[in-house]
């Protein structure tokens, strides 16, 4: 049975689990892109923001804190761990743009350039560099 390694932000394996029935990937264009892993443990493992899976489907990260539920029947902690595609971590970021027209603020092209440069330096892209286009 194939297993999945969940790594911390340093790339060290925090936990490995076999892929069980009920695990899934859900992708809806411009709405959601995530995988869900199902497993149970006798002792809980607490995952941190930024923990990730890097496999043939892509890079998926924990972008919301997760707490397992205790199953009184089995005496184990049940996980339904959702890991979102790496670009969904942007949902936790806020960017503001304000232009007064007096020349003291950045033009929108410069603002977009700052965002793109930050993304390129902050996010690990496995395959190729992505392209961002801002039409004004």
């Amino acid at each position: 049975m194939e297993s999945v390694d969940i790594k911390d932000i340093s790339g060290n394996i925090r936990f490995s689990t076999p892929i069980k029935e009920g695990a899934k990937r859900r992708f809806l264009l411009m709405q959601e892109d995530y995988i869900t892993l199902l497993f149970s443990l006798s002792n809980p493992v607490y995952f941190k923001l930024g923990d990730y899976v890097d496999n043939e489907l892509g890079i998926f990260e924990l972008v919301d804190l997760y707490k397992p539920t205790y199953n009184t029947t089995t005496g184990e902690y049940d996980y339904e761990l959702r890991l979102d595609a790496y670009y969904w971590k942007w949902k936790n970021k806020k960017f503001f743009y304000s232009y007064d027209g007096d020349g003291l603020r950045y033009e929108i092209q410069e603002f977009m350039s700052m965002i793109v440069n930050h993304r390129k330096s902050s996010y690990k892209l496995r395959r190729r560099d992505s392209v961002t286009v801002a039409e004004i």
Side-chain angles (χ1 to χ4, degrees), residues 2-64:
E2 189 179 344
S3 68
V4 173
D5 294 331
I6 302 171
K7 300 177 182 179
D8 63 18
I9 59 173
S10 300
N12 301 316
I13 296 174
R14 185 180 302 279
F15 182 73
S16 291
T17 183
I19 298 174
K20 295 184 179 178
E21 186 175 332
K24 64 181 177 181
R25 179 184 186 192
R26 181 157 170 90
F27 175 75
L28 289 172
L29 187 61
M30 298 189 66
Q31 293 181 27
E32 56 191 12
D33 187 4
Y34 65 88
I35 59 173
T36 303
L37 301 174
L38 303 174
F39 53 94
S40 298
L41 300 172
S42 55
N43 294 316
V45 172
Y46 294 103
F47 297 99
K48 297 182 180 180
L49 292 179
D51 287 356
Y52 69 96
V53 169
D54 185 356
N55 61 18
E56 65 277 354
L57 297 175
I59 300 170
F60 295 88
E61 289 189 29
L62 185 65
V63 296
D64 293 314

Side-chain angles (χ1 to χ4, degrees), residues 55-119:
N55 61 18
E56 65 277 354
L57 297 175
I59 300 170
F60 295 88
E61 289 189 29
L62 185 65
V63 296
D64 293 314
L65 290 175
Y66 182 80
K67 183 178 178 184
T69 55
Y70 184 72
N71 185 334
T72 55
T73 306
T74 62
E76 294 184 324
Y77 292 89
D78 292 335
Y79 287 80
E80 190 171 332
L81 188 64
R82 176 178 165 153
L83 298 153
D84 290 284
Y86 69 93
Y87 52 83
W88 275 100
K89 84 164 80 173
W90 283 85
K91 75 178 188 172
N92 295 330
K93 309 277 189 245
K94 293 183 181 179
F95 294 96
F96 299 96
Y97 177 76
S98 176
Y99 180 68
D100 294 340
D102 60 6
L104 297 177
R105 304 224 184 247
Y106 293 107
E107 295 289 335
I108 188 72
Q109 292 90 345
E110 294 174 32
F111 182 74
M112 288 302 297
S113 175
M114 286 189 293
I115 291 174
V116 170
N117 289 337
H118 173 71
R119 190 196 68 217

